[in-house]
Amino acid sequence: MISMKTDLKTDRELSAQIADAIRNAIIDGSLIVDERLPSEAELSEQFHVSRPTVREALKRLAAQNLIRTRRGATGGAFVNRLRFEEAYGQQITTSTLLLSMNDVDFETACEARFTLERACVALSAKRHTGDHMATMRAEIHRQSQPGLSDEAFCASDVAFHRALVDGAQNPVLSYQLAGAIEAIEPLMNMITFSARSREEIVALHTEIANAIEAGNGNAANKTLERLAEYTVELANTVFQKRKQK
Amino acid sequence: MISMKTDLKTDRELSAQIADAIRNAIIDGSLIVDERLPSEAELSEQFHVSRPTVREALKRLAAQNLIRTRRGATGGAFVNRLRFEEAYGQQITTSTLLLSMNDVDFETACEARFTLERACVALSAKRHTGDHMATMRAEIHRQSQPGLSDEAFCASDVAFHRALVDGAQNPVLSYQLAGAIEAIEPLMNMITFSARSREEIVALHTEIANAIEAGNGNAANKTLERLAEYTVELANTVFQKRKQK
DNA sequence: CAGCTTTAATTGTCTGACAAATGATTTCTA
DNA sequence: TAGAAATCATTTGTCAGACAATTAAAGCTG
């Protein structure tokens, strides 16, 4: 039994209320990970609704990655273990839409991103592994390739910064930062990166990687601040040029 | 027309594929905010599926707050403007479940929270308004009330810290921090706060509020660090006691 | 005992229907 | 004619019943 409060109101969609009831059961621990929910037929009896209505409720939960379903004799709906890696995607999608739909300006988004990132570098300097360094170096190398498109340059930039954050070895930090770092990519993609500016960014990235490798979080922090300033400056000139046209 | 790639595969649920198609149309801008989607009947024609299948797809999107629906003559499904305030809830639910389902220990969650928070105080010290200060002072006052339950104390703690972060006046920061700050509340709720420890926390909160009001982000940062250490220490003694039993 | 077949359970999808809400239209009335 | 009331058309919300597809377990067969 999910919850005995089966007294559904009439002022909201039934499928939404049922989804809420099940979601709450998951949150408060009445339903634990990998536990099987009652079959759709049983749920429709319990809640006194039809099977399509139950199914709509289950699809709502599936959209939030809270359950998975399997057909067949031993099939059904099961409570999902929400994993950090899977939650990234959702987090990034939402963050991206928030920026674009609320007309957040580049400076605000950039400030948030670099502020959060600077918070992580001290930990990253202490805890990073060879893997993180290797990723950072590889991305720096990619960024200095001549024929690289602006989009690929941005993507590499994102990869570099994610490795930087992942170096802190705190999954909660990595998760929270994913949204801030990735969501800004579409905005960065509007920038045209000249050879000169790429050089500058690569130099700053290298400086950051060196500081991290040396365990000097303070230096990395300061360079990151310069990178933040440079990025905003770059964006401003681009956007001002756009305006003039 | 949402997308002409109506060649749906057979290896995934149709409703999931349709939801993806519409979601992508929203993300890439083919569907703009407040635009009305085709009616369910029209969508089922376009995608060559039945109405219940279309409905399941729409419910998936509704669960992510991407659309809203209205009945009636001029009703239908409309693209939602995703707002920061509405996204908070989702973000908090997900963060909370991530912590509990992945057995993230208190120290890791706490580290993430305070690391991110400390990143914000410099901005908060510069930009906070009277409202933010008033909220912080009010919550500090509430926390020093004698008859307060542990749960209410935690809730007030959360409110204090959110006001602190909101003081930075950067909606992106507030959004990202919401998850980190609120998700830890269930873990904090497992702690019993003695009168002595409450006094200590209130003292630290007061010190932080004073520093913010004085525009001294550096001092606030340092006090926040002490608060982080004290919180972890408190939790450790509680959890060690639990273990001994 | 291994391999095949059957069976039962469960989700995925479809059809058709009616209820409820809601704005637009028409009709009625003063 | 102006305003109120009734009607209509459109659309989502819900229901009932059916069948297909999938899957594991049980039963059968050599």
Side-chain angles (χ1 to χ4, degrees):
Chain A
M1 288 286 173
I2 304 281
S3 148
M4 287 300 71
K5 286 171 62 183
T6 40
D7 47 331
L8 304 180
K9 307 283 193 298
T10 51
D11 56 342
R12 271 182 67 218
E13 291 170 47
L14 295 177
S15 66
Q17 296 180 58
I18 293 169
D20 284 347
I22 299 177
R23 189 182 302 106
N24 288 333
I26 294 174
I27 292 173
D28 74 22
S30 320
L31 287 170
I32 60 174
V33 166
D34 291 335
E35 186 171 342
R36 183 181 174 281
L37 272 64
S39 72
E40 295 175 355
E42 287 168 324
L43 285 172
S44 42
E45 271 190 32
Q46 278 184 36
F47 286 104
H48 307 294
V49 298
S50 68
R51 193 158 82 95
T53 302
V54 166
R55 283 183 60 80
E56 287 180 10
L58 294 180
K59 294 315 159 199
R60 289 177 189 263
L61 299 172
Q64 298 179 300
N65 260 300
L66 294 181
I67 61 169
R68 61 181 180 278
T69 55
R70 228 183 40 226
R71 288 207 262 201
T74 59
F78 298 82
V79 178
N80 242 344
R81 154 161 284 125
L82 208 52
R83 290 174 198 286
F84 282 99
E85 301 80 37
E86 297 157 1
Y88 283 156
Q90 176 93 19
Q91 162 76 349
I92 291 167
T93 303
T94 305
S95 300
T96 306
L97 285 173
L98 278 170
L99 293 192
S100 72
M101 287 183 169
N102 293 282
D103 299 316
V104 174
D105 56 65
F106 188 79
E107 216 165 328
T108 304
C110 221
E111 174 180 276
R113 173 190 158 164
F114 280 104
T115 300
L116 295 177
E117 221 173 305
R118 284 170 53 201
C120 301
V121 291
L123 292 173
S124 193
K126 274 193 286 182
R127 301 197 194 139
H128 71 270
T129 68
D131 269 6
H132 300 122
M133 285 315 305
T135 304
M136 283 188 260
R137 299 290 186 197
E139 296 300 338
I140 289 174
H141 183 255
R142 190 197 313 275
Q143 289 157 23
S144 44
Q145 297 292 326
L148 207 66
S149 72
D150 278 344
E151 278 192 12
F153 184 79
C154 282
S156 172
D157 181 83
V158 166
F160 172 84
H161 285 278
R162 288 198 59 168
L164 178 61
V165 168
D166 288 344
Q169 305 251 46
N170 184 318
V172 185
L173 272 182
S174 292
Y175 166 69
Q176 300 290 353
L177 271 281
I181 293 181
E182 300 252 0
I184 219 174
E185 201 181 343
L187 299 180
M188 298 266 286
N189 271 327
M190 298 173 62
I191 301 176
T192 318
F193 292 96
S194 66
R196 177 70 197 82
S197 58
R198 288 192 191 190
E199 257 176 51
E200 178 75 29
I201 290 171
V202 166
L204 289 168
H205 282 178
T206 306
E207 216 174 290
I208 291 169
N210 290 342
I212 292 288
E213 193 158 30
N216 191 343
N218 233 307
N221 192 321
K222 282 195 181 126
T223 310
L224 209 45
E225 189 169 3
R226 280 166 52 208
L227 179 58
E229 280 166 18
Y230 184 71
T231 306
V232 170
E233 196 185 306
L234 207 59
N236 278 344
T237 55
V238 171
F239 295 145
Q240 272 173 11
K241 269 188 198 162
R242 294 266 161 85
K243 260 188 198 168
Q244 287 171 359
K245 285 184 188 174
Chain B
M1 287 288 176
I2 304 281
S3 150
M4 286 301 72
K5 287 171 59 181
T6 40
D7 47 331
L8 304 179
K9 306 281 193 299
T10 52
D11 56 343
R12 270 182 67 217
E13 291 170 46
L14 296 176
S15 65
Q17 295 180 60
I18 294 169
D20 284 347
I22 300 177
R23 188 182 304 107
N24 288 333
I26 295 175
I27 291 172
D28 74 21
S30 320
L31 286 170
I32 61 175
V33 167
D34 291 334
E35 185 171 344
R36 182 182 176 280
L37 272 64
S39 71
E40 295 174 355
E42 287 169 324
L43 285 172
S44 40
E45 270 190 33
Q46 279 185 36
F47 287 104
H48 308 294
V49 299
S50 67
R51 194 157 80 94
T53 301
V54 166
R55 283 182 61 80
E56 288 180 8
L58 294 179
K59 294 316 158 199
R60 288 176 190 263
L61 298 173
Q64 298 179 299
N65 259 302
L66 294 180
I67 61 168
R68 61 182 182 279
T69 55
R70 229 183 40 225
R71 286 205 262 201
T74 59
F78 299 83
V79 178
N80 242 343
R81 155 161 282 125
L82 208 52
R83 289 174 199 286
F84 283 100
E85 302 80 36
E86 297 157 2
Y88 283 157
Q90 177 93 18
Q91 163 76 349
I92 291 167
T93 303
T94 305
S95 300
T96 307
L97 286 173
L98 278 171
L99 294 193
S100 71
M101 286 182 169
N102 292 283
D103 299 316
V104 174
D105 57 65
F106 188 79
E107 218 165 327
T108 304
C110 222
E111 175 180 276
R113 173 190 157 162
F114 280 103
T115 300
L116 295 177
E117 222 174 304
R118 284 169 53 203
C120 301
V121 292
L123 293 173
S124 193
K126 276 193 285 182
R127 303 196 192 139
H128 70 272
T129 68
D131 269 8
H132 299 123
M133 284 314 307
T135 303
M136 282 189 260
R137 299 290 186 198
E139 295 300 339
I140 289 175
H141 183 255
R142 190 197 312 273
Q143 289 159 22
S144 45
Q145 297 292 327
L148 205 67
S149 73
D150 277 343
E151 277 192 13
F153 183 79
C154 283
S156 171
D157 181 82
V158 166
F160 171 84
H161 285 277
R162 289 198 56 168
L164 178 61
V165 169
D166 288 344
Q169 305 251 48
N170 184 317
V172 185
L173 272 183
S174 291
Y175 166 70
Q176 300 290 353
L177 270 281
I181 294 181
E182 300 251 1
I184 218 173
E185 200 181 344
L187 299 180
M188 298 264 286
N189 272 327
M190 297 173 63
I191 301 176
T192 318
F193 291 96
S194 66
R196 178 69 197 82
S197 60
R198 289 193 190 190
E199 257 176 52
E200 179 75 26
I201 290 171
V202 166
L204 289 168
H205 281 179
T206 306
E207 218 174 287
I208 291 169
N210 290 344
I212 293 288
E213 194 157 31
N216 190 343
N218 233 306
N221 193 321
K222 285 202 179 117
T223 311
L224 209 44
E225 189 168 2
R226 279 166 53 207
L227 179 58
E229 281 166 17
Y230 184 70
T231 306
V232 170
E233 194 184 307
L234 207 60
N236 278 343
T237 56
V238 171
F239 295 144
Q240 274 174 10
K241 267 187 199 162
R242 294 264 163 86
K243 261 189 198 168
Q244 287 171 0
K245 281 181 187 173

